[in-house]
Amino acid sequence: MAVSGLLMLGYLVAHVAGNLKVFFGPEEFNAYGHWLRVMGAPVLHHEWALWLVRIVLLAAVVAHAVSAYQLSRRDLKARPTAYVHRRKGASYATRTMRWGGIILALFIVWHVLDLTTGTVHPGGFEEGRPYQNVVDTFSTWYGNVIYIVAMLAVGLHVRHGFWSAAQTLGVGSARRERLLRGAANGLALALTAGFVSVPVAVMTGVVS
């Protein structure tokens, strides 16, 4: 679970960096979208590298979900009766990891159908024009609500998940506790702010 989570975290960092190119205008953002489909050329054919990334990411998502289910079942089997008193010190992010994961799984499906296949895209999906597609999506109230709620869930998930992964992989220690928690908080905040800045920019007319 830790390894698949860190793999997806790496993807999120790269994804938010790409998303922020929308602030440089349609030409640069559309060029970035085109590059994603030709990266690796001329060694790799059109979209081969992109599909490789998609397959690895899908495998990570499946591994993460299966691991979460297995850990949940083990937890219930180890203690079928709930604690009388809720454990003190558990953060809101910790207590909502399961629901956050479900929200993100549903969001991924919507996000792909909206901006990759164009199946549920508002305003007419335009292949090869990701800038206009992003503006179309965030020009609708529901597109903004879905995306912002999902990105808040991402922040909470990363905040707890990054620290937990460090403990699982043996990186954490009493001396590093403060540093790891600070890194988890900073990373979660940076990712959430970066992702949310795009719909906010469209809503306020900064990106149009």
Side-chain angles (χ1 to χ4, degrees):
M1 187 161 194
V3 172
S4 62
L6 289 176
L7 189 63
M8 289 187 288
L9 179 59
Y11 169 78
L12 287 175
V13 172
H15 191 40
V16 74
N19 280 9
L20 293 177
K21 288 182 178 291
V22 77
F23 290 100
F24 295 98
E27 288 189 11
E28 183 153 346
F29 194 69
N30 289 341
Y32 167 67
H34 174 71
W35 174 79
L36 289 176
R37 285 160 174 73
V38 299
M39 59 180 174
V43 177
L44 300 178
H45 287 284
H46 186 72
E47 291 194 357
W48 278 21
L50 181 59
W51 274 106
L52 180 62
V53 171
R54 286 170 174 169
I55 291 169
V56 171
L57 188 60
L58 178 61
V61 170
V62 172
H64 204 67
V66 171
S67 297
Y69 175 77
Q70 290 175 336
L71 287 172
S72 178
R73 299 304 301 172
R74 287 182 185 181
D75 184 45
L76 290 173
K77 187 176 180 180
R79 187 177 178 86
T81 304
Y83 287 103
V84 175
H85 300 290
R86 186 182 294 273
R87 179 166 58 93
K88 292 183 179 180
S91 68
Y92 183 76
T94 303
R95 298 194 300 268
T96 57
M97 284 294 282
R98 183 178 302 172
W99 287 110
I102 293 172
I103 289 172
L104 293 177
L106 293 173
F107 168 74
I108 289 171
V109 174
W110 175 81
H111 197 49
V112 169
L113 292 176
D114 177 29
L115 292 174
T116 300
T117 66
T119 307
V120 298
H121 183 76
F125 183 77
E126 298 183 61
E127 187 70 39
R129 297 189 64 191
Y131 184 92
Q132 188 58 49
N133 293 333
V134 166
V135 171
D136 287 344
T137 291
F138 297 133
S139 294
T140 62
W141 68 267
Y142 61 86
N144 291 309
V145 170
I146 293 172
Y147 193 86
I148 291 174
V149 168
M151 292 309 103
L152 293 175
V154 164
L156 289 172
H157 216 75
V158 168
R159 181 175 181 270
H160 176 70
F162 180 81
W163 181 83
S164 293
Q167 306 306 311
T168 301
L169 299 174
V171 179
S173 67
R175 295 195 325 186
R176 298 193 189 112
E177 176 83 8
R178 189 172 180 179
L179 177 63
L180 287 172
R181 287 197 180 276
N185 289 337
L187 188 58
L189 181 61
L191 285 173
T192 304
F195 281 120
V196 169
S197 67
V198 178
V200 170
V202 175
M203 283 189 285
T204 56
V206 174
V207 172
S208 62

